[in-house]
């Protein structure tokens, strides 16, 4: 099977050829663990989970290594720890914040149907590797020590800016670059900096006497090196990470190891937006995964995410979620029998769509076609629909239909329904058909369908169910 992926570095969709098909290697930048993740943060997690599943399908479960790190050293973590646990020693408070947040993150993305990556390295457990890379960069003349900081000298890397496709001038103008007395050039970025009293700190590289801590970018160069090697196949993350984070990772890794590339393919998901703006903590327009999971099954949220191609921006709307719930409920209905004894394969059309740079909207339209066939009585299609849905990471059989309808229509008031049905029965008894029709319509508006039949003794009865 041929897999094509779009590479941000070369700006082209290319045939994917792994460096080693026995060990296909992917690194994705993971969360900074200081707060609940929002649904925008879930986008890369879901997108690269789908890719992980596809790679496992093509190369075999044991031949794919997926690394997604946990950033557990960061100013935002320190600030949150000091705020939430005043009076506690900072390092202890930091551990509390990172442990709680990591646990919450796992619970959230598990509920969204994401497999755990092969390795989830923590930054604080890779300080030795960070120091080793920094020493190499100093020895190679790509980094310098100034006022207890180590900085990467951007001018020493002729390839700097290639990923973001910006010139130095453009990068200077576009990025909020700190001018600092310890920098030779404004674009130079921090590899290591001194820790303030009480902050997490480790022995410094470069002969610096005071203890310090790493900059953000060096963390990913160190963790990808440790777990995937100097060169690997795929590096992923959100589009906002292209510059400066990935540009800097690329510069560090290539200059440290004298190599021409870090990853063969660089992949970036587009933004999840709210009314045309990026969902983000700083804009305050975010909704957490945790909040959404109180209202919707994880399958529905995942399905909704996959309706848009990963590189396109997507608007997150209630309307979209409701439509996704209806689709999944439809799939659930048409896979009920198949689930009892499923066999067969994932649809070739779904696989073809996924192999074309993860075309999930196309894959989902193939699922709808399968559902149509299943509706017409095609049992093979029904099995394929179930297996293909599971392949994409959502199982329609796990979605509770009544639950979905209740969420869409509000709580069901059974007493009211029974009263209305009784009212309709007496209207019919007195041959007031206008009134009985009106009551049927009122029930329909509540999402309730009624059915007139006879009980075991032949007496007329009216049953009701949630309308599908
Ligand atoms: P952060 O915690 O901001 O570093 O983000 C963690 C991951 O989520 C990164 O890969 C970001 O690119 C990604 N991300 C953050 N906000 C959004 C968004 N609104 N849409 C899509 N991806 C996002
Ligand atoms: Zn990273």
């Amino acid at each position: 099977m041929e897999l094509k992926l779009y590479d941000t570095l070369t700006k082209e969709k290319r045939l994917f050829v792994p460096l080693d098909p026995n060990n296909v290697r992917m690194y994705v930048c993971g969360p900074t663990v200081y707060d609940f993740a929002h649904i925008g943060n879930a986008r890369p997690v879901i997108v690269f989970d789908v890719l992980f599943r596809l790679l496992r399908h093509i190369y075999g479960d044991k031949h794919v290594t997926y690394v997604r790190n946990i950033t557990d050293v960061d100013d935002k973590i320190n600030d949150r720890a000091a705020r939430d646990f005043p009076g506690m020693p900072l390092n202890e408070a930091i551990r509390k914040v990172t442990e709680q947040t990591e646990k919450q993150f796992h619970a959230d993305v598990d509920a969204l149907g994401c497999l755990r990556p092969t390795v989830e390295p923590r930054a604080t457990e890779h300080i030795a590797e960070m120091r080793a890379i920094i020493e190499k960069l100093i020895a190679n003349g790509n980094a310098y020590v100034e006022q207890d900081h180590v900085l990467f000298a951007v001018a020493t890397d002729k390839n700097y800016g290639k990923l973001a496709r910006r010139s130095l001038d453009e990068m200077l103008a576009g990025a909020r670059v700190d001018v600092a007395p310890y920098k030779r050039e404004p674009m130079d970025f921090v590899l290591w900096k001194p820790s303030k009293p009480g902050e997490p700190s480790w022995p410094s590289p470069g002969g610096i006497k005071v203890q310090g801590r790493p900059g953000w970018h060096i963390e990913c160069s160190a963790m990808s090196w440790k777990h995937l090697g100097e060169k690997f196949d795929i590096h992923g993350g959100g589009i906002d990470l292209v510059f400066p984070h990935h540009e800097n990772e690329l510069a560090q890794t290539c200059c440290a190891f004298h190599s021409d590339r870090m990853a063969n393919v660089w992949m970036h998901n587009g933004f999840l937006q709210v009314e045309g703006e990026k969902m983000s903590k700083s804009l305050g327009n975010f909704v957490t995964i945790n909040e959404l999971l109180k209202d919707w099954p994880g399958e529905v949220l995942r399905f909704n995410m996959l309706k848009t191609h990963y590189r396109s921006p997507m608007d997150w709307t209630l309307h979209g979620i409701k439509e996704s719930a209806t689709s999944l409920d439809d799939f659930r209905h048409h896979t009920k029998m198949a689930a009892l004894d499923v066999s067969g394969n994932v649809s070739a059309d779904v696989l073809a769509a996924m192999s074309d740079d993860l075309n999930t909207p196309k894959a989902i339209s193939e699922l709808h076609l399968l559902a149509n066939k299943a509706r017409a009585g095609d049992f093979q299609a029904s099995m394929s629909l179930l297996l293909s849905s599971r392949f994409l990471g959502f199982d329609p059989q796990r979605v509770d239909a009544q639950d979905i309808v209740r969420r869409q229509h509000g709580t069901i008031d059974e007493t009211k329904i029974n009263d209305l049905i009784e009212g309709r029965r007496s209207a019919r008894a007195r041959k007031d058909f206008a009134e009985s029709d009106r009551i049927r319509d009122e029930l329909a508006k509540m999402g309730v369908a009624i059915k007139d039949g006879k009980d075991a003794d032949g007496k007329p009865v009216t049953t009701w169910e949630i309308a599908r």
Side-chain angles (χ1 to χ4, degrees):
M1 198 167 105
E2 286 201 339
L3 169 62
K4 286 194 175 141
L5 296 173
Y6 181 87
D7 178 13
T8 311
L9 184 72
T10 54
K11 279 208 172 359
E12 57 177 0
K13 193 154 63 171
R14 274 202 321 272
L15 187 65
F16 175 70
V17 183
L19 293 163
D20 173 5
N22 281 315
N23 185 17
V24 181
R25 289 161 288 162
M26 170 162 80
Y27 186 92
V28 175
C29 296
T32 303
V33 282
Y34 71 101
D35 202 356
F36 284 92
H38 61 65
I39 191 70
N41 300 131
R43 195 170 188 196
V45 181
I46 292 176
V47 163
F48 291 102
D49 177 69
V50 160
L51 177 56
F52 183 38
R53 288 167 185 267
L54 180 63
L55 292 171
R56 281 159 58 108
H57 180 86
I58 300 174
Y59 298 98
D61 288 3
K62 298 214 156 46
H63 302 293
V64 184
T65 307
Y66 172 22
V67 179
R68 187 184 62 213
N69 73 290
I70 291 185
T71 294
D72 59 350
V73 46
D74 185 270
D75 285 340
K76 284 188 282 232
I77 298 174
N78 300 350
D79 295 347
R80 180 58 59 104
R83 192 195 81 182
D84 288 359
F85 302 99
M88 191 183 279
L90 187 60
N91 280 303
E92 212 176 297
I94 287 172
R95 203 171 328 111
K96 265 195 180 302
V97 168
T98 55
E99 277 174 7
Q100 277 172 6
T101 314
E102 188 182 319
K103 213 161 138 209
Q104 181 67 49
F105 176 76
H106 279 140
D108 290 348
V109 300
D110 286 354
L112 296 176
C114 298
L115 303 173
R116 295 283 177 101
T118 324
V119 192
E120 277 196 289
R122 290 195 189 87
T124 52
E125 290 165 7
H126 294 75
I127 303 288
E129 288 79 5
M130 296 179 209
R131 268 199 307 259
I133 296 180
I134 293 173
E135 297 289 8
K136 282 180 201 290
L137 290 170
I138 296 173
N140 294 350
N142 297 108
Y144 58 92
V145 177
E146 188 67 53
Q147 299 180 23
D148 297 333
H149 291 68
V150 187
L151 288 119
F152 186 93
V154 164
T156 63
D157 178 13
K158 63 178 189 329
N159 291 323
Y160 194 81
K162 280 216 170 133
L163 181 66
R165 298 213 167 206
R166 301 183 208 192
S167 66
L168 272 183
D169 283 348
E170 281 168 335
M171 288 187 278
L172 264 177
R176 277 176 295 148
V177 175
D178 297 333
V179 182
Y182 47 79
K183 284 188 183 179
R184 286 186 194 157
E185 300 289 340
M187 282 299 294
D188 294 352
F189 59 88
V190 169
L191 299 170
W192 192 268
K193 58 187 168 187
S195 300
K196 297 194 190 92
E199 278 182 355
S201 66
W202 294 269
S204 297
I208 298 169
K209 297 281 181 306
V210 297
Q211 300 242 108
R213 59 194 175 112
W216 172 34
H217 317 300
I218 195 70
E219 296 177 5
C220 288
S221 285
M223 287 183 271
S224 59
W225 174 42
K226 168 81 184 284
H227 298 282
L228 299 176
E230 294 173 13
K231 266 188 211 175
F232 49 92
D233 296 291
I234 298 167
H235 194 317
I239 189 85
D240 52 335
L241 298 187
V242 173
F243 186 82
H245 184 54
H246 286 170
E247 191 73 58
N248 293 356
E249 276 186 38
L250 179 60
Q252 293 160 166
T253 297
C254 289
C255 290
F257 303 117
H258 301 290
S259 69
D260 57 338
R261 51 181 51 195
M262 179 180 187
N264 263 346
V265 188
W266 289 83
M267 294 176 68
H268 295 96
N269 63 273
F271 285 139
L272 181 145
Q273 305 178 325
V274 185
E275 289 166 22
E277 274 204 289
K278 177 194 173 191
M279 180 179 281
S280 76
K281 287 261 156 67
S282 54
L283 289 172
N285 60 349
F286 65 93
V287 47
T288 65
I289 305 172
N290 190 249
E291 283 165 337
L292 282 165
L293 284 170
K294 287 182 188 142
D295 287 341
W296 301 96
E299 282 84 2
V300 169
L301 302 175
R302 182 179 179 102
F303 183 93
N304 196 51
M305 192 73 88
L306 296 179
K307 282 195 304 197
T308 308
H309 188 261
Y310 78 93
R311 282 196 284 126
S312 307
M314 78 170 292
D315 257 316
W316 188 260
T317 64
L318 183 60
H319 177 71
I321 305 175
K322 284 186 175 178
E323 272 186 0
S324 297
T326 305
S327 300
L328 265 189
D329 185 37
D330 189 45
F331 293 179
R332 183 196 58 80
H333 188 68
H334 293 300
T335 53
K336 218 183 289 176
M337 295 306 289
L340 299 176
D341 183 20
V342 68
S343 64
N345 293 308
V346 175
S347 146
D349 294 329
V350 167
L351 283 173
M354 294 305 290
S355 307
D356 181 16
D357 193 31
L358 305 186
N359 193 341
T360 54
K362 176 83 169 36
I364 286 176
S365 66
E366 296 295 345
L367 295 185
H368 283 291
L369 293 179
L370 286 171
N372 289 344
K373 287 187 189 161
R375 185 174 299 119
D378 181 339
F379 194 62
Q380 291 297 327
S382 171
M383 290 199 289
S384 183
L385 172 60
L386 183 60
L387 290 170
S388 305
S389 299
R390 286 179 180 164
F391 171 70
L392 293 174
F394 48 83
D395 187 340
Q397 285 304 312
R398 278 184 38 201
V399 178
D400 178 344
Q402 300 260 338
D403 192 36
I404 286 191
V405 178
R406 213 172 293 130
R407 289 167 205 278
Q408 286 181 331
H409 295 278
T411 320
I412 299 283
D413 182 346
E414 294 203 17
T415 318
K416 182 166 178 203
I417 294 170
N418 289 330
D419 286 351
L420 283 167
I421 288 176
E422 178 50 30
R424 178 169 169 272
R425 194 198 57 75
S426 59
R428 281 160 67 99
R430 61 175 191 271
K431 302 215 181 313
D432 183 352
F433 295 115
E435 174 63 2
S436 90
D437 286 352
R438 188 200 63 72
I439 295 177
R440 179 190 282 271
D441 290 348
E442 187 177 341
L443 284 162
K445 277 204 199 97
M446 291 165 64
V448 173
I450 50 175
K451 206 165 146 194
D452 296 317
K454 292 201 162 76
D455 70 8
D457 303 326
K459 278 205 291 209
V461 285
T462 300
T463 54
W464 64 272
E465 61 171 17
I466 302 300
R468 292 183 20 76

